[in-house]
Amino acid sequence: MTVLVDDIRPAPVRTSIAAAVDAVRAYAPGFTLSALTVEPGRISVVVEVTASGDRLPRHAGSVDIINAAAVLLAEQSVAVSRRREPRP
């Protein structure tokens, strides 16, 4: 993905992207940052997703990350629902 921007500070951009990669990797271990270019006016990010290989072939990383994200959202939804339920 390439994003065109007017004003850019490379260090904070790199830090934010590294944090986002770590956050995604927490639920999709096959997610890796393949390339990151931060230049005046342009940020380019290339990621790769490899499936874990236990239920899906390793080349099906996009399906694996979609499933992992769905599980994460379901877990978060349950946690929110439990906080809202009145306690007896």
Side-chain angles (χ1 to χ4, degrees), residues 10-41:
V13 168
R14 290 178 189 281
T15 301
S16 294
I17 291 173
V21 168
D22 289 342
V24 172
R25 195 176 293 133
Y27 65 88
F31 186 86
T32 57
L33 178 64
S34 299
L36 172 61
T37 305
V38 182
E39 300 173 336

Side-chain angles (χ1 to χ4, degrees), residues 2-88:
T2 298
V3 179
L4 303 177
V5 293
D6 290 329
D7 188 23
I8 189 170
R9 293 179 21 220
V13 168
R14 290 178 189 281
T15 301
S16 294
I17 291 173
V21 168
D22 289 342
V24 172
R25 195 176 293 133
Y27 65 88
F31 186 86
T32 57
L33 178 64
S34 299
L36 172 61
T37 305
V38 182
E39 300 173 336
R42 183 175 76 109
I43 303 167
S44 294
V45 179
V46 178
V47 298
E48 182 178 333
V49 184
T50 304
S52 59
D54 53 349
R55 290 179 302 239
L56 298 168
R58 298 194 57 74
H59 66 272
S62 59
V63 176
D64 206 28
I65 197 168
I66 290 168
N67 289 338
V71 169
L72 177 67
L73 287 174
E75 290 170 347
Q76 290 174 347
S77 178
V78 168
V80 168
S81 294
R82 288 185 177 157
R83 283 191 295 240
R84 291 182 184 160
E85 290 178 2
R87 307 217 181 228

